[in-house]
Amino acid sequence: MSANAAFPSDVINAAPYRVGFLLLDNFTMVALASAIDPLRMANQLTGRELYTWRLMSADGAIVKASDGIAIAPDGSIADRDVFDIVIVVGGVDITRSYTPAQISWLQSQANKKVLMGAVCTGAYVLAAAGLLDGYNCSAHWECLAALQERFPRVNCTNHLYTLDRNRMTCTGGGVPMDMMLSMITRQHGKALTSAICDMFLCDRVRSDNEQQRAPLRRLLTSAQPKLAEVTELMESNIEEPIELEELASYVGISRRQLERLFLKHLNCTPSRYYLKLRLDRARQLLKQTSCSIIEVAAMCGFVSAPHFSRCYRKYIGISPKEERLAIWAIGPLDSVSAEGALAELPSASVSALRLAQAEPTYGAVNFVASPLKTPAPALAVSG
């Protein structure tokens, strides 16, 4: 079959839609690929250049992704390219991965009535440019706390992606594909989108109102719906914690039943789990924002800064002040001299790990070993 036989003439004869991707330092490769490949496949299936895309960095120099892979962009923000949409590709350490020049360039693009978009943590940079004030936006759950606290005029949602007037924002991973497929559907119809899905073995395009789920809730929702409801209530009420009796009554069980559920499935009490959530949020805010320690304590439901500091030191191992000082004490990775042997150069995987360890962590906060958690028992191996 010919490449364009299955599609109407208005699709085939459409003018190319020009897409610019601004790659920030330590951007997430999977988010970039998920955004570009639907455009590539739309061109392939129709046999026409429906979409063009151009990768840009601040100065046209090579940009490293968070996995250590170096990408040579097509140009810099100083070039005189004309776009229909500009998409900011974020990733690791987003609060320190953009420059004033990039902010100015994004603002200039918005002034030209260009559609502005972002994938993964890129929405943080659009917000920093003032381009999301009064808009709904989606971003990876790692940076939602920083977005909400630093940019109160932005309406952050937990949706996988958001299409709000002339703004397109989404979370990370494979979600950019859903957002771009939704855009393609609006521009060229469902037939083309369905064909792209067939090529990518994608069974459906997720809708923009679907929620990104925290890992624990995803595991609990089907197996323990009452427990999932309670943990969701806890996550939604960090600044003003809800008493356990109230939590239990909201989901229709007794406090005793609630305690048994937590002990059986999470190996801790509800109070301890709730405290861990609040401390995790506090750690995110300490690392991602410039809020004072007193402000962070209040945002996370602690009655006083000394009480917050005692709890933080007991369960995290260092004080809030030490946590914050440690962030800015981290310098760039040690460079290797030109005379050094090739074997001494760190691999891409080692560089990526060092970067992740040095950033003001987001997701890692929820995974590191903590005194609040009891290690899971080792799996028995039959001989």
Side-chain angles (χ1 to χ4, degrees), residues 135-146:
Y135 285 87
N136 296 324
C137 90
S138 296
H140 195 285
W141 57 265
E142 289 180 329
C143 74
L144 278 179

Side-chain angles (χ1 to χ4, degrees), residues 12-228:
I12 301 306
N13 298 325
Y17 192 74
R18 300 157 298 186
V19 185
F21 292 93
L22 176 60
L23 306 184
L24 302 181
D25 289 337
N26 311 315
F27 72 91
T28 306
M29 183 70 76
V30 65
L32 175 64
S34 296
I36 290 179
D37 266 7
L39 309 181
R40 173 187 66 84
M41 188 54 64
N43 291 351
Q44 177 178 321
L45 290 172
T46 60
R48 293 291 186 274
E49 195 174 43
L50 297 183
Y51 295 95
T52 65
W53 56 90
R54 188 168 172 82
L55 306 183
M56 296 165 296
S57 66
D59 55 4
I62 287 175
V63 187
K64 272 196 174 182
S66 58
D67 57 11
I69 296 176
I71 295 290
D74 301 307
S76 77
I77 58 177
D79 298 339
R80 296 182 178 275
D81 297 301
V82 177
F83 299 109
D84 297 300
I85 179 173
V86 167
I87 296 177
V88 181
V89 186
V92 171
D93 201 6
I94 190 63
T95 59
R96 299 190 291 187
S97 295
Y98 62 93
T99 66
Q102 290 169 322
I103 292 292
S104 296
W105 183 78
L106 290 170
Q107 292 168 335
S108 71
Q109 292 297 306
N111 289 336
K112 297 175 184 176
K113 308 304 180 184
V114 173
L115 177 62
M116 306 301 293
V119 300
C120 197
T121 59
Y124 188 94
V125 181
L126 286 184
L131 301 179
L132 290 179
D133 289 353
Y135 285 87
N136 296 324
C137 90
S138 296
H140 195 285
W141 57 265
E142 289 180 329
C143 74
L144 278 179
L147 256 172
Q148 290 169 338
E149 296 300 336
R150 182 172 175 188
F151 309 109
R153 297 181 63 185
V154 178
N155 181 25
C156 299
T157 76
N158 200 43
H159 294 172
L160 289 176
Y161 61 98
T162 300
L163 310 176
D164 186 0
R165 293 162 286 169
N166 53 354
R167 301 289 184 266
M168 290 173 51
T169 53
C170 75
T171 59
V175 175
M177 180 179 292
D178 297 281
M179 183 177 76
M180 300 306 278
L181 287 171
S182 180
M183 181 187 77
I184 291 170
T185 300
R186 293 183 178 204
Q187 294 174 340
H188 299 299
K190 192 169 178 58
L192 178 55
T193 303
S194 297
I196 296 171
C197 287
D198 289 342
M199 292 297 292
F200 289 153
L201 305 181
C202 172
D203 60 348
R204 71 185 181 95
V205 179
R206 289 174 288 186
S207 69
D208 58 347
N209 60 6
E210 290 189 43
Q211 304 278 318
Q212 56 177 323
R213 295 179 176 178
L216 176 62
R217 196 182 310 144
R218 183 174 65 245
L219 295 173
L220 293 177
T221 298
S222 57
Q224 295 296 328
K226 296 291 186 183
L227 192 54

Side-chain angles (χ1 to χ4, degrees), residues 150-363:
R150 182 172 175 188
F151 309 109
R153 297 181 63 185
V154 178
N155 181 25
C156 299
T157 76
N158 200 43
H159 294 172
L160 289 176
Y161 61 98
T162 300
L163 310 176
D164 186 0
R165 293 162 286 169
N166 53 354
R167 301 289 184 266
M168 290 173 51
T169 53
C170 75
T171 59
V175 175
M177 180 179 292
D178 297 281
M179 183 177 76
M180 300 306 278
L181 287 171
S182 180
M183 181 187 77
I184 291 170
T185 300
R186 293 183 178 204
Q187 294 174 340
H188 299 299
K190 192 169 178 58
L192 178 55
T193 303
S194 297
I196 296 171
C197 287
D198 289 342
M199 292 297 292
F200 289 153
L201 305 181
C202 172
D203 60 348
R204 71 185 181 95
V205 179
R206 289 174 288 186
S207 69
D208 58 347
N209 60 6
E210 290 189 43
Q211 304 278 318
Q212 56 177 323
R213 295 179 176 178
L216 176 62
R217 196 182 310 144
R218 183 174 65 245
L219 295 173
L220 293 177
T221 298
S222 57
Q224 295 296 328
K226 296 291 186 183
L227 192 54
E229 286 182 58
V230 172
T231 56
E232 185 171 359
L233 281 169
M234 289 178 171
E235 291 169 11
S236 301
N237 293 273
I238 297 293
E239 187 167 350
E240 297 182 6
I242 304 175
E243 295 292 334
L244 295 186
E245 288 82 1
E246 289 184 78
L247 285 170
S249 67
Y250 282 143
V251 299
I253 60 177
S254 68
R255 174 170 174 165
R256 188 177 181 85
Q257 288 173 306
L258 180 65
E259 290 173 340
R260 281 202 295 263
L261 279 174
F262 270 85
L263 288 170
K264 179 177 180 181
H265 298 284
L266 298 178
N267 205 24
C268 69
T269 65
S271 297
R272 180 160 290 199
Y273 181 85
Y274 209 168
L275 176 60
K276 179 187 181 302
L277 284 180
R278 292 160 58 204
L279 290 172
D280 282 349
R281 174 62 63 81
R283 195 175 191 195
Q284 287 180 321
L285 294 174
L286 286 169
K287 288 172 171 286
Q288 298 178 27
T289 74
S290 59
C291 295
S292 69
I293 291 174
I294 294 176
E295 290 173 324
V296 171
M299 291 172 185
C300 298
F302 291 92
V303 295
S304 68
H307 177 231
F308 169 55
S309 294
R310 285 195 299 272
C311 291
Y312 201 92
R313 180 179 288 279
K314 180 176 180 180
Y315 292 112
I316 304 298
I318 58 176
S319 71
K321 183 177 180 180
E322 290 168 332
E323 183 80 87
R324 173 151 283 171
L325 289 174
I327 299 170
W328 306 110
I330 297 169
L333 295 179
D334 294 336
S335 59
V336 179
S337 66
E339 295 78 20
L342 184 61
E344 294 177 357
L345 290 170
S347 67
S349 60
V350 170
S351 296
L353 179 58
R354 288 181 184 175
L355 174 65
Q357 290 171 331
E359 72 160 327
T361 62
Y362 307 131

Side-chain angles (χ1 to χ4, degrees), residues 370-382:
S370 166
L372 288 169
K373 289 184 176 181
T374 301
L379 295 176
V381 180
S382 59

